[in-house]
Amino acid sequence: MKNSDQKNRNLDDLSPLDTRKEWKLLYYKPGKPGLEEGYKLAGICRHCELKEMCPIPKPEGGVWRCSYYRAFQKKSNLYSHVLEQLEKAKDVVPFDDDICKILTETMNEIVVHFPVKMKDGRVKVLTGYRVQHNNILGPFKGGLRFHPSVDIDEIKALATLMTWKTAITNIPFGGAKGGIQLDPADFSREEIERISRRFTYALGNNIGPEYDIPAPDVNTNSQIMAWIQDTYMSTVAPNERNRSVHVVTGKPIESGGSQGREKATGQGVVFLIEKWASDHGMNLEGATYTVQGFGNVGSWAARLMKKHGSKLIAVEDVTGAILNKESIDPDDLAAYVKVHGGVRGYLKAEPIDHVTFFTTKSDIFIPCALENQITDATAELLDVRLVAEGANGPTDPQGDKILQRRNIAVIPDILCNSGGVIVSYFEWLQNKRSEFWELEEVDMKLRKTIIAAYERVQDAAERYKVDLRTAAQIVALARLEIVYKERGIFP
Ligand code: NAD
């Protein structure tokens, strides 16, 4: 048998479901959870051919490993979960069918393919998305995500969640989301800058300070927002430039960002944990918590919990999971992650696997990574009183049912992580008014806004005798329904 036949036969054996015979070589650090899902396409490891678990040197040093996983066109199921949740609310409150019909579709779905020159001189064509779900309450608003799992369904789901979030919090924005399908680890900083700028150029006037305002999300940050801002401002007419500063939020302070925006999502999560704890007689001093995802949201939530004397005991991120039952200092861990890119190898805690992480007993679990992490498998493992959803869509519908059956309280994503968009609104307002608010003012206004949203959701939960997730959905739909009824459908 020829070498290539052998290769094809083995590919078939390994991937009976994959008719496209496309494979991706994945590099991962041992212990990294959940890699199989969401990755797609292409290439054969020239180092090990079809052998699994072949240790190879990581380009920047250190040892990574390569492995083959079945390549598949990822079907993001988050969108169907989002629509399922809408139906659940509709079963409780008979919202207008026509209005729900509008809200189950996204208004605009923009897909751009754009070329970018890589550092080796070659050109790569990347695919980027911007989905604008609804703007009846105000300009489209939502983050930009750089991740291999990004596809149109994932972005549609996240854009829809943004509409609910802005409706619950009573801020005058609609819902949108965007992203580029890429793994940032495959690109240098200069390449990421060129990708961000070229994506902005490709989107053109599909974004704009009064129309659609991006912000950071997974694997994007204030630096990327500054590049987007600069590209947008450089491509509009000269007399429009200084009126376009607020085309993005989550910018660096010096470029028009707001005090408190970087920590805002984590801060909002912690304000709501404080509220829930005081309503349910949980003393946060000495309470234990675990955090999944130690990026912007997770690290800030963890660090702000420390102020209450709560103890962080386990953390999981894309590089692995760690445990220290005595407590992990979140500031020290954040400094470590900044240097090493993840929690793996942190010596003041022991490495644990994914199952042990989920089984670790604590008072509060704060998921701040990706969607679909609390599933029928992991929801049974959790031994906590409260799940505070920093991430978008971290709990799938089966996981949600199990949490309810096990009486584990949940502060749902569309409420819990809304601190980011609330302070993005404050940043946008400051830019429009040429104002600069102090941190205390931002924090005070954030607290007031997010607690008021919590109280609206809690009132709905009591009134309709439903869980907080369904109640949050009801509050969002009720606000949108009022506005649609007042304005009617054009023409
Ligand atoms: P980030 O890129 O700063 O951090 C993501 C973290 O998740 C990293 O620590 C990464 O290692 C970890 N991670 C990724 N895949 C993982 C996996 N399979 N298992 C465990 N950990 C994994 O992103 P972020 O901005 O902190 O966003 C995190 C979540 O919060 C996302 O769901 C995002 O949509 C949501 N969110 C973010 C904001 C914001 O302001 N940044 C606002 C609202 C909601």
Side-chain angles (χ1 to χ4, degrees):
M1 189 181 283
K2 281 201 300 217
N3 220 359
S4 60
D5 292 344
Q6 173 72 42
K7 193 184 285 176
N8 285 338
R9 212 202 59 173
N10 287 348
L11 279 171
D12 286 341
D13 289 348
L14 284 164
S15 177
L17 300 177
D18 178 25
T19 51
R20 297 156 53 110
K21 295 195 182 62
E22 285 168 308
W23 288 74
K24 177 174 170 84
L25 168 64
L26 293 179
Y27 293 91
Y28 74 104
K29 297 179 180 178
K32 178 176 172 178
L35 239 190
E36 300 94 320
E37 290 204 9
Y39 279 72
K40 49 186 171 189
L41 305 197
I44 302 282
C45 173
R46 266 179 263 117
H47 180 79
C48 67
E49 296 271 78
L50 291 171
K51 239 190 298 155
E52 281 200 326
M53 306 299 284
C54 162
I56 59 167
K58 201 173 109 179
E60 325 85 82
V63 175
W64 288 37
R65 306 185 133 230
C66 76
S67 181
Y68 290 98
Y69 285 94
R70 183 173 303 146
F72 56 96
Q73 202 60 43
K74 185 197 174 222
K75 288 215 66 73
S76 169
N77 49 6
L78 184 61
Y79 191 52
S80 63
H81 299 166
V82 168
L83 297 182
E84 210 174 295
Q85 194 55 49
L86 188 149
E87 287 302 320
K88 212 169 155 190
K90 227 171 140 232
D91 287 343
V92 181
V93 178
F95 288 110
D96 185 284
D97 276 334
D98 286 338
I99 294 170
C100 289
K101 220 183 284 169
I102 298 169
L103 294 170
T104 51
E105 295 293 344
T106 54
M107 278 184 176
N108 306 310
E109 294 169 17
I110 300 134
V111 182
V112 290
H113 306 282
F114 54 96
V116 184
K117 212 176 245 180
M118 297 292 115
K119 66 174 177 219
D120 62 5
R122 301 182 69 144
V123 167
K124 226 182 171 75
V125 178
L126 290 142
T127 301
Y129 304 88
R130 186 72 182 168
V131 173
Q132 296 161 337
H133 173 255
N134 191 279
N135 65 351
I136 188 134
L137 299 178
F140 298 112
K141 184 87 189 80
L144 286 179
R145 177 178 285 200
F146 289 181
H147 197 271
S149 77
V150 163
D151 63 16
I152 192 71
D153 277 349
E154 179 176 274
I155 300 297
K156 278 168 72 172
L158 294 166
T160 312
L161 291 178
M162 284 306 296
T163 302
W164 309 152
K165 227 178 274 186
T166 52
I168 293 170
T169 47
N170 261 348
I171 56 177
F173 282 140
K177 200 82 176 190
I180 307 177
Q181 189 188 85
L182 60 77
D183 188 342
D186 294 343
F187 299 94
S188 67
R189 179 187 154 94
E190 289 70 30
E191 287 169 337
I192 290 288
E193 174 176 354
R194 282 202 292 278
I195 290 167
S196 307
R197 288 183 180 278
R198 193 59 210 235
F199 179 44
T200 309
Y201 181 75
L203 286 174
N205 60 10
N206 287 299
I207 58 169
E210 305 295 329
Y211 179 60
D212 183 355
I213 306 118
D217 192 74
V218 173
N219 290 328
T220 58
N221 54 24
S222 57
Q223 175 60 75
I224 291 175
M225 293 308 115
W227 289 328
I228 294 174
Q229 173 194 27
D230 182 68
T231 308
Y232 185 88
M233 288 171 73
S234 304
T235 49
V236 293
N239 63 341
E240 291 289 324
R241 285 182 191 159
N242 278 328
R243 276 192 274 148
S244 304
V245 173
H246 51 302
V247 64
V248 283
T249 57
K251 303 179 285 288
I253 305 268
E254 297 75 10
S255 294
S258 175
Q259 292 288 348
R261 173 59 186 90
E262 197 195 310
K263 69 169 178 138
T265 309
Q267 180 69 78
V269 171
V270 173
F271 281 150
L272 292 181
I273 291 175
E274 285 166 16
K275 169 79 176 140
W276 187 92
S278 99
D279 287 355
H280 293 82
M282 180 193 277
N283 184 2
L284 287 182
E285 170 128 32
T288 52
Y289 62 105
T290 58
V291 177
Q292 188 196 39
F294 210 73
N296 173 287
V297 182
S299 68
W300 273 110
R303 291 162 73 182
L304 293 163
M305 286 293 288
K306 181 178 155 184
K307 292 190 181 152
H308 291 285
S310 310
K311 289 197 296 182
L312 173 65
I313 56 168
V315 180
E316 180 184 66
D317 74 1
V318 78
T319 66
I322 54 168
L323 169 79
N324 182 340
K325 286 200 169 149
E326 291 304 306
S327 93
I328 296 166
D329 179 352
D331 290 309
D332 190 52
L333 182 62
Y336 177 88
V337 168
K338 205 167 175 192
V339 176
H340 297 90
V343 302
R344 186 169 170 270
Y346 184 67
L347 292 175
K348 296 171 197 162
E350 59 174 297
I352 52 171
D353 61 27
H354 187 54
V355 170
T356 312
F357 173 76
F358 265 90
T359 324
T360 300
K361 182 179 169 59
S362 71
D363 295 302
I364 305 163
F365 174 44
I366 317 178
C368 301
L370 299 177
E371 49 266 24
N372 296 337
Q373 297 298 307
I374 304 175
T375 61
D376 52 354
T378 52
E380 293 287 4
L381 304 177
L382 282 175
D383 191 358
V384 299
R385 278 181 70 189
L386 172 68
V387 174
E389 294 183 338
N392 283 308
T395 309
D396 76 8
Q398 289 77 18
D400 207 30
K401 274 188 205 138
I402 294 166
L403 295 183
Q404 280 185 43
R405 169 171 56 72
R406 299 185 59 221
N407 280 328
I408 295 176
V410 177
I411 308 177
D413 53 359
I414 50 178
L415 170 65
C416 196
N417 67 39
S418 62
V421 73
I422 294 170
V423 178
S424 274
Y425 169 54
F426 298 159
E427 179 176 329
W428 187 75
L429 272 186
Q430 290 170 73
N431 293 160
K432 277 167 76 86
R433 297 174 181 170
S434 299
E435 287 180 1
F436 189 74
W437 303 355
E438 300 292 335
L439 179 61
E440 292 70 28
E441 185 178 358
V442 172
D443 279 352
M444 185 265 293
K445 287 181 165 149
L446 166 61
R447 192 175 185 289
K448 202 169 155 202
T449 310
I450 205 163
I451 296 296
Y454 181 88
E455 284 168 350
R456 278 192 290 279
V457 170
Q458 209 175 24
D459 287 349
E462 280 164 22
R463 179 166 172 208
Y464 296 108
K465 307 212 173 345
V466 292
D467 58 290
L468 288 186
R469 194 186 305 285
T470 311
Q473 183 72 70
I474 289 172
V475 170
L477 289 174
R479 178 161 177 229
L480 289 155
E481 185 179 75
I482 289 172
V483 180
Y484 266 109
K485 283 195 168 159
E486 282 168 357
R487 295 204 202 158
I489 306 292
F490 173 84

